[in-house]
Amino acid sequence: MKEIQVRTPAKVNLTLDVVGKREDGYHSIESVFQAVSIFDVLTVTRKDTPGITLSSTNKYLPCNQKNIAYQAAELFLQKVHRRDGLHIHIEKHIPSQAGLGGGSSDGAAVLTALNSLLGCRMSIPQLCEIGAEVGADVPFFLEGGTVHVSGIGEILEPLPPLPVLSMVVAKGRAGVSTPEAYRRIDLLTDPVHPDTAGVIDAIRERNYPEAFSRCGNLFEAAMQLEEVAQIRKIMLEKGAKCALMTGSGSAVFGIFESGPIAQKCCNALHTVVPYAVTCKTLKHGIRIVSRS
């Protein structure tokens, strides 16, 4: 096999809480991750010459060792004691600095692609171990679906998958750096923490209205972005059952009763923000598109 192409999703956080800071400087979180149908497409090609090269449709994406896809490829090759030459091309559709996990998703996609391309036959748990060394959110994308995530993002507990739900994801012009978001979290005094346990219980009971009523994100209070508040207001006015910032921001997602209602909200958002798309909840993670 010379080339493989994979499609890798974005994620939203139905709930996201920071519950402590560890001695190593990392923050402990409690969250419910949900995969959604906004996809990057990665093509990994074997080269005759050693080394890793990278290209992207997004001119702002670093195409060097700073890119998590590059780091994932480098670590995977180290783990399997290989020195294959590789080229990785990223067709980018997941917005950056949005809290949608695009970088981590790309890293997980590379691990999935190389596992197949090089015939390594690693299990998902084995890939997750490598992924956790690349980035905290990488293991989730190897699983996908609906997952309770804890620790620094490496402890995964699959939940009953949500039904296919219509969603809108929108982002204003502001981007949020994850280190800055955590710095602001550390400055909060007596914050109101999201009810992650309540969301999990409601999902297990298939009581989705109850789950959506308990969704929350501590980063939303920490960042207090005007665009986030504006997007949420429009989503709720247009019928969203739940509207919330995802991750450390700055994207916002809304859950709707039907596709047509979601599309009407998306149309309204197009007049005020540069990015708004409809999507669906997913019960899976990365998918291989083609091999050659």
Side-chain angles (χ1 to χ4, degrees), residues 31-52:
S31 184
V32 176
F33 281 29
Q34 174 61 52
V36 298
S37 61
I38 305 169
F39 301 101
D40 285 350
V41 180
L42 278 78
T43 304
V44 183
T45 307
R46 298 175 79 166
K47 303 188 303 176
D48 294 331
T49 54
I52 301 166

Side-chain angles (χ1 to χ4, degrees), residues 176-187 219 222-223 245 247-249:
V176 173
S177 110
T178 301
E180 171 62 14
Y182 275 104
R183 189 189 71 80
R184 294 200 190 184
I185 285 283
D186 291 338
L187 295 175
F219 285 93
M223 300 307 296
M245 190 175 84
S248 57

Side-chain angles (χ1 to χ4, degrees), residues 190-207:
D190 299 322
V192 178
H193 291 273
D195 184 9
T196 302
V199 172
I200 292 169
D201 288 344
I203 289 173
R204 286 181 174 144
E205 294 166 3
R206 273 73 171 179
N207 187 345

Side-chain angles (χ1 to χ4, degrees), residues 5 26 41-42 49 51 58 60 62 65 67 70 83 92 94 108 122-123 156 159 164 170 177 191 212 229 242 279 286:
Q5 188 175 80
Y26 285 96
V41 180
L42 278 78
T49 54
N58 184 335
Y60 300 107
Q65 292 93 331
N67 192 297
Y70 186 106
R83 298 185 64 190
K92 196 72 183 163
I94 303 172
M122 285 190 186
S123 66
L156 307 180
L159 297 172
V164 178
S177 110
F212 301 152
C242 166
C279 59
I286 298 160

Side-chain angles (χ1 to χ4, degrees), residues 26-28 45 48 53 58 89 101 133 147 149 153 160 162-163 168-169 173 209 217 225 227 240 248 252 290:
Y26 285 96
H27 292 76
S28 298
T45 307
D48 294 331
T53 56
N58 184 335
H89 179 69
E133 293 185 45
V147 178
V149 178
L162 294 185
V168 174
V169 173
R173 288 168 178 81
N217 183 347
L225 297 172
E227 286 180 318
S248 57
V252 180
S290 65

Side-chain angles (χ1 to χ4, degrees), residues 148-170:
H148 171 212
V149 178
S150 57
I152 61 169
E154 85 287 9
I155 303 171
L156 307 180
E157 179 189 7
L159 297 172
L162 294 185
V164 178
L165 300 170
S166 296
M167 302 181 71
V168 174
V169 173

Side-chain angles (χ1 to χ4, degrees), residues 68-125:
I68 197 169
Y70 186 106
Q71 296 165 17
E74 190 172 49
L75 184 59
F76 187 93
L77 291 177
Q78 289 176 8
K79 295 290 186 182
V80 299
H81 309 292
R82 300 278 292 256
R83 298 185 64 190
D84 300 64
L86 301 170
H87 180 71
I88 303 164
H89 179 69
I90 304 174
E91 184 183 314
K92 196 72 183 163
H93 299 283
I94 303 172
S96 300
Q97 291 194 324
L100 295 167
S104 296
S105 188
D106 292 346
V110 167
L111 298 180
T112 299
L114 291 180
N115 193 41
S116 180
L117 186 66
L118 304 182
C120 296
R121 298 184 180 179
M122 285 190 186
S123 66
I124 293 294

